[in-house]
Amino acid sequence: MNNIYIKKSLLHFILIVGVVISLGPFYWMIVGATNPSGEVLSFPPTIVPGNYLLENLKNLSEAIPILKALFNSALIAVIFVGASLLVCSAAGYAFAKFKFKGSNVIFSSFLLAMMIPYQATIIPLFQIFGALDWINTYQAVILPQICYPFAIFLIRQNMKGIPDSMIEAARIDGAGEISIFFKLALPTMKPALAAVGIFLFTHQWNNFMWPLIVMTSSDKYTLPVALSTLAGLNSVDYGQLMLGTAISVLPIMVVFLFLQKHFVSGILGGSVKE
Amino acid sequence: MTSTTKRLEASKTKKGFITPKTAPYIFVLPALLLFLAFTVYPIIASFLLSFQTRISGVYSFTGLDNYIRLFSDPVFYKALGNTFIILLVQVPVMLFLAVILAVLLQSKLLNMKGFYRVSFFTPAITSLVAASIIFILLLNTDYGLVNYILTSIGMERVPWLSNGLWAKISLIMVTTWRWTGYNMVILLAGLQNIPHDLYEAASIDGASSIKKFFHITIPQLKPVLLFCFVLSTIGSFQLFDEPYNLTGGGPNNATLTITYYLYNQGFGYFDFGYASAIAYVIVLFIAVLSWLQFKVVKE
């Protein structure tokens, strides 16, 4: 009995240390965001939130167009998730529920593309968007990854669960292929689509290298790019830097906390069978 | 029956174009077009570009010139070396931690599993830029919290970001912080698939926990571990956000990664041909390493 108690305490102790390391930096960020710059790097460190949040926000929005960046990030992520879910679930549905010529070749090449680092594509992509005169536009950030092979793969795995007899029955009732997809396949896939959607949202929200390359004026910066330029400024106000970081992290954390069950399954999905 | 057939006939004539035969093509078409335009074409174009050099504003084929230049470029070797050092240190350390955490979280003695799982996973949803910025301040040599803790327990200040060796260590720490929970979740799923009877049989044979860990858990986890290895290896070759924001590749190129070098050549000097050659070296390395890892595990 006693032995179990000791083991249990030791287990919790190790894990709590882990939690402090994992979450500590976030807590420290929130403290920093609500305190004046000097407090962020003071000895001994300030560990309680202050009341300097509004001042930091004012300074931050004077230094960079942070609200514009928030808007850009949200707009890009929402359009991207909508478009990608539509395109990827249509493809996933076709691979799961139809036998057609070329299906294996197309599906395998999607999977193969997952192994190729996207850096191998950025220079021609930059040239394509340059030729279209689309540098510094939302579509230049959104378009390249709408066909997201991992999402197609996950949706295909889930769509396989729809019974063929259900689709057959709808056909016999005279439903067209398009309406079977929208009125039958998609609604039954809601949980899976939510998981994949959250995954895609996080991916786009945190995306950095490509927006950094393709967005050339500060009114088009997404949050990570705006933050990166803020950190690069010479005289840095740490309170405002922490606030900017918090603004980029907190929305996604809130979404995650509410939907974490779906989220984790979205990340794991078909990659590892649960 | 006849009415059903009639309706079926009616739907066929009405829908004419979209039949069960043509439907899959229509459903795949948008994805396929986007894939061809923004993945396949760039991969091919980038390959062709890697054999071209811009001479007075015009790209022309110069054969292997870019690759020859690459293999005599000391900065390229430096970036490649840095990437491998980070890969060889970071990935094993991170996967070791992830396995330990996953196994601890499986313990029957433990309550609050959900809380721990969410806590460890949270860093994985943070943008790498945000994580880098938080750590720039935490690791500040003079004022950072980490050095404050070190000096208050009587240790020396560490020049985390300003010394070549320590900058590499910082980069490894930040990536480990970001990705351990992610791998832990994948490994947890893997652990749940290990049949219980294996452990029960071992317990009856009197095996210790440590023995069970090395003789059941690790071998059973092998495919999932491999999956994590491959993902992390690919990730290491793509390391860009963290060095760009944390150290700017410095000091003295000590944290310049191969992808960062690609970015510098492509978008610092707009040397697209040379940058494409670097991209293809990355592709090649990832292909070879993934293949090797699968081969090793099959043995």
Side-chain angles (χ1 to χ4, degrees):
Chain A
M1 191 64 204
N2 216 0
N3 195 9
I4 288 184
Y5 183 72
I6 293 171
K7 263 192 187 166
K8 221 172 162 173
S9 309
L10 187 68
L11 197 57
H12 276 292
F13 176 74
I14 296 171
L15 292 174
I16 295 278
V17 170
V19 170
V20 170
I21 294 173
S22 293
L23 297 186
F26 294 112
Y27 178 74
W28 191 69
M29 168 192 83
I30 290 168
V31 170
T34 57
N35 276 307
S37 184
E39 295 286 315
V40 175
L41 301 177
S42 67
F43 293 103
T46 314
I47 50 164
V48 287
N51 53 8
Y52 211 73
L53 182 64
L54 290 178
E55 269 91 333
N56 280 339
L57 185 61
K58 195 176 135 257
N59 295 339
L60 178 63
S61 38
E62 275 164 15
I64 53 167
I66 186 78
L67 293 178
K68 191 73 209 287
L70 185 64
F71 171 80
N72 292 339
S73 272
L75 184 76
I76 287 172
V78 167
I79 296 176
F80 167 75
V81 171
S84 185
L85 275 185
L86 189 66
V87 167
C88 294
S89 55
Y93 175 64
F95 289 128
K97 287 291 149 198
F98 290 90
K99 282 201 181 90
F100 57 102
K101 248 196 191 150
S103 110
N104 279 339
V105 177
I106 302 171
F107 188 64
S108 325
S109 42
F110 282 167
L111 290 189
L112 195 66
M114 279 164 59
M115 298 294 283
I116 293 178
Y118 82 103
Q119 286 88 3
T121 64
I122 54 175
I123 286 166
L125 280 180
F126 186 78
Q127 292 178 321
I128 294 174
F129 289 113
L132 291 168
D133 210 9
W134 279 356
I135 297 296
N136 205 30
T137 61
Y138 294 123
Q139 62 267 32
V141 176
I142 294 168
L143 276 172
Q145 296 197 60
I146 286 180
C147 172
Y148 200 89
F150 188 50
I152 296 176
F153 173 74
L154 291 181
I155 291 169
R156 171 183 172 267
Q157 299 300 91
N158 280 290
M159 290 266 185
K160 280 191 166 168
I162 301 175
D164 285 333
S165 54
M166 222 157 96
I167 296 172
E168 218 30 66
R171 253 177 220 148
I172 291 169
D173 283 346
E177 295 302 320
I178 302 282
S179 68
I180 291 175
F181 172 65
F182 279 107
K183 293 187 179 147
L184 195 129
L186 281 190
T188 37
M189 285 295 103
K190 262 185 198 156
L193 291 178
V196 176
I198 302 163
F199 174 76
L200 290 170
F201 186 88
T202 323
H203 169 79
Q204 185 63 268
W205 185 266
N206 293 335
N207 194 4
F208 176 64
M209 192 178 187
W210 180 241
L212 173 76
I213 290 167
V214 91
M215 292 310 211
T216 48
S217 74
S218 63
D219 66 318
K220 286 286 170 58
Y221 285 169
T222 57
L223 277 172
V225 180
L227 270 185
S228 173
T229 59
L230 183 65
L233 296 179
N234 272 334
S235 65
V236 175
D237 175 332
Y238 298 116
Q240 86 186 26
L241 190 57
M242 287 286 96
L243 179 63
T245 313
I247 289 174
S248 81
V249 170
L250 288 180
I252 203 111
M253 258 168 114
V254 171
V255 173
F256 167 65
L257 285 177
F258 277 109
L259 301 168
Q260 49 106 357
K261 277 218 169 102
H262 291 304
F263 189 86
V264 170
S265 68
I267 295 252
L268 288 179
S271 54
V272 181
K273 277 262 175 238
E274 259 192 285
Chain B
M1 195 64 196
T2 32
S3 73
T4 336
T5 335
K6 255 183 207 161
R7 259 192 285 165
L8 199 61
E9 288 302 315
S11 77
K12 263 185 192 157
T13 46
K14 197 175 69 193
K15 301 270 162 20
F17 180 56
I18 305 168
T19 65
K21 270 234 160 352
T22 58
Y25 295 102
I26 293 163
F27 286 129
V28 166
L29 195 64
L32 189 61
L33 290 180
L34 287 164
F35 182 69
L36 291 174
F38 298 120
T39 304
V40 176
Y41 167 77
I43 287 172
I44 296 167
S46 173
F47 184 68
L48 296 178
L49 206 52
S50 75
F51 299 105
Q52 299 173 50
T53 309
R54 191 166 65 173
I55 301 158
S56 53
V58 186
Y59 281 96
S60 49
F61 277 88
T62 47
L64 289 171
D65 276 11
N66 285 321
Y67 290 96
I68 291 165
R69 185 179 148 200
L70 202 58
F71 288 109
S72 52
D73 178 352
V75 187
F76 168 72
Y77 282 108
K78 179 112 194 186
L80 199 60
N82 290 338
T83 306
F84 269 100
I85 291 171
I86 293 163
L87 172 72
L88 291 175
V89 178
Q90 197 262 334
V91 175
V93 168
M94 174 182 66
L95 291 184
F96 175 75
L97 287 174
V99 171
I100 298 286
L101 283 178
V103 169
L104 291 183
L105 279 189
Q106 277 287 92
S107 166
K108 284 196 190 87
L109 296 172
L110 196 69
N111 38 9
M112 304 200 308
K113 284 183 187 167
F115 164 75
Y116 286 123
R117 202 184 57 204
V118 171
S119 304
F120 293 139
F121 191 74
T122 305
I125 58 160
T126 318
S127 85
L128 297 162
V129 178
S132 305
I133 286 175
I134 299 173
F135 277 91
I136 286 175
L137 299 186
L138 281 171
L139 295 174
N140 185 298
T141 305
D142 298 318
Y143 309 108
L145 188 62
V146 175
N147 273 351
Y148 173 77
I149 293 169
L150 288 182
T151 50
S152 57
I153 56 171
M155 289 167 80
E156 291 276 312
R157 282 179 203 283
V158 174
W160 292 108
L161 301 173
S162 49
N163 166 289
L165 175 67
W166 288 108
K168 276 195 198 73
I169 294 174
S170 302
L171 191 57
I172 287 170
M173 288 188 336
V174 176
T175 26
T176 305
W177 178 81
R178 174 66 165 51
W179 293 105
T180 302
Y182 184 90
N183 287 287
M184 178 203 77
V185 168
I186 298 176
L187 289 165
L188 263 174
L191 282 179
Q192 269 147 24
N193 279 342
I194 302 178
H196 257 291
D197 3 336
L198 283 178
Y199 289 103
E200 275 157 29
S203 297
I204 292 166
D205 292 343
S208 66
S209 311
I210 306 229
K211 259 213 160 122
K212 279 190 250 177
F213 177 78
F214 282 109
H215 288 107
I216 302 174
T217 310
I218 294 293
Q220 289 283 321
L221 220 48
K222 229 173 168 183
V224 185
L225 267 174
L226 169 74
F227 177 73
C228 291
F229 251 115
V230 173
L231 275 191
S232 310
T233 303
I234 296 177
S236 298
F237 272 95
Q238 303 189 342
L239 207 60
F240 171 74
D241 301 16
E242 299 97 319
Y244 182 90
N245 289 292
L246 199 65
T247 54
N252 207 0
N253 289 339
T255 53
L256 185 76
T257 58
I258 185 88
T259 299
Y260 199 165
Y261 193 48
L262 184 164
Y263 172 85
N264 280 346
Q265 291 299 329
F267 299 97
Y269 302 110
F270 288 95
D271 195 340
F272 286 167
Y274 195 49
S276 295
I278 300 173
Y280 264 84
V281 171
I282 299 178
V283 172
L284 193 72
F285 270 113
I286 289 182
V288 169
L289 282 175
S290 305
W291 179 77
L292 265 182
Q293 281 170 336
F294 278 109
K295 191 109 180 148
V296 164
V297 168
K298 268 209 174 144
E299 291 291 305

